[in-house]
Amino acid sequence: MRAVLLRRCRHASAATLLVLMLTACAAGEGGDGARSEDSSDPTTLLDPKAKVTITIDCMPPAAKAAELKEWKEDVAEFNRTYPNVTVEGRSTPGQCLEPPRFTAMLKAKSQPDVFYTYFTDLPQVLAEDGAQDISAYVHPWSVPLLKDINPDVLDSLRYRGRLYGLPTSNYTMGLLINRKLFEDAGLDPDAPPRTWEEVRAAAKKIAALGGGVSGFGEYSAGNTGGWHFTAQLYSLGGDIVDVSGTRAAFNNHLGKQVAKNLHAMRWEDDSMGRTQRLKWGDLQQRIATDKLGMFLAAPDDIAYMVQELGAKYENFGMGPIPGSRNTLVGGNNYMIKQGISPDKIKAAVAWLSFKFATAGKGQFDWARTKADGLPVGLPQPNFWLGRTKAKDDAARVEHATMPVANFKTFMDNPVPGKAEPPKAQEIYKILDSVMSGVLTDEDADVDKLLATAEAKVNRLLADQ
């Protein structure tokens, strides 16, 4: 989901006043202000007078005028509290989305002070000594809503108990549906399938509409096939690797169930279409043009299809992932470059807290998001708990730019989240062969496909 940021205010916000008060309190401890002057002490806040410049990844490009406008507004608002912090945004086309470029950046140690990562990137970043341990810098007075962030989300940024970043968004996968095709096929779009048997039955009815329409779609290329194999396996209660993280755990009855069900839908039911080896973007294009009934997705796919493909919000709905034992979770975050000064680390934490972890402000200022013509009403990102979650949910509904009732089944039936496996991208690439095998070969040997993938994953994990 695209980040959306904070409106200018005429007066200092309560959060700003809190930061100023806490800074003053820190300066007063000990009676001589020594703690606030010791910038190397991570337990103190950044002195508002400290002169520092931080470079930050993924500033919206000029082509995203509304997002860039909000970024600039937020920098100005941030500077009301920290006037001597210079925020230098970097906007390189593709920098936030291209794994090869990210890997090259880490190896060259050329990442910005504050750099964008996926939840799955932590092992790679740590292997390159790329991220600062910020455990001592992150506390309730530097991130006031820290206690309201879902600990499962924060744990994606921990290694051996140490914290290496702060989240900006998260997602859980569900079943995205085309409401028009559901209605045309005589299905209830407000009651998406809840089991894989129901998915198969609904897919056959939708495919029977003809005209090149497919009932259900899946990926099988570009690592996305393995990603979705993982999601389906999780939904049945399975695992990709064992609890030790050293052996594959998918070559069993549950892994075979996933593969055989897809093979049957493709070849017996003819409900998945003839074109396969699809990757991210292909299924979105098909469902946005009323050629696909459903596929597994995160809610922010809907924003992409409306903003980039010209679809209409009202044409989509979501339900929880079929099976509902677990769902794959993922997301995005920022890490802080290892070796930068303590003042830079403090400025980075202050910026991330302000921009991405303040309810009603920054990316969670839904009133401004709506005014700027950006999407409001999708159920994610939502890493909040308790009262903060309730407040944010209400604001999303109040300022919604889409029919939020279409996501009611998804929202009312949360599924326990399960993180991606270790060496996720490498494993996904291996599992692409299982998905492409069952979807492109009518005579595919499921047992052989899974056994071959298992052997490759075991070798990969043994090299850790």
Side-chain angles (χ1 to χ4, degrees), residues 38-42 44-46 137 342-350:
D38 181 7
S39 65
S40 66
D41 182 352
T44 63
L45 289 165
L46 177 69
Y137 292 86
D343 275 347
K344 282 193 172 189
I345 297 171
K346 291 177 182 180
V349 170

Side-chain angles (χ1 to χ4, degrees), residues 78 83 128 137 143 179 280 286 318 325 327 388:
F78 180 72
E128 298 292 342
Y137 292 86
V143 183
R179 292 177 62 88
W280 200 96
R286 288 188 57 76
M318 284 199 76
R325 292 288 300 277
T327 185
T388 300

Side-chain angles (χ1 to χ4, degrees), residues 375-443:
V376 181
L378 295 174
Q380 294 166 351
N382 195 343
F383 43 73
W384 300 120
L385 300 173
R387 292 182 179 179
T388 300
K389 174 175 170 55
K391 177 182 176 181
D392 184 63
D393 287 348
R396 288 174 198 252
V397 173
E398 179 185 356
H399 301 292
T401 59
M402 62 192 72
V404 295
N406 289 6
F407 316 123
K408 181 175 173 56
T409 306
F410 178 80
M411 292 296 292
D412 288 353
N413 297 277
V415 177
K418 190 175 183 67
E420 295 178 270
K423 295 199 171 184
Q425 294 303 322
E426 295 97 324
I427 289 176
Y428 294 164
K429 184 176 181 178
I430 293 169
L431 290 172
D432 272 358
S433 63
V434 176
M435 297 290 274
S436 63
V438 298
L439 295 175
T440 63
D441 182 2
E442 187 171 4
D443 298 320

Side-chain angles (χ1 to χ4, degrees), residues 234-245:
Y234 282 3
S235 77
L236 298 173
D239 287 298
I240 292 296
V241 301
D242 66 10
V243 293
S244 73

Side-chain angles (χ1 to χ4, degrees), residues 323-338:
S324 297
R325 292 288 300 277
N326 289 291
T327 185
L328 188 146
V329 301
N332 313 296
N333 33 252
Y334 276 98
M335 295 182 189
I336 297 171
K337 186 175 183 178
Q338 187 177 104

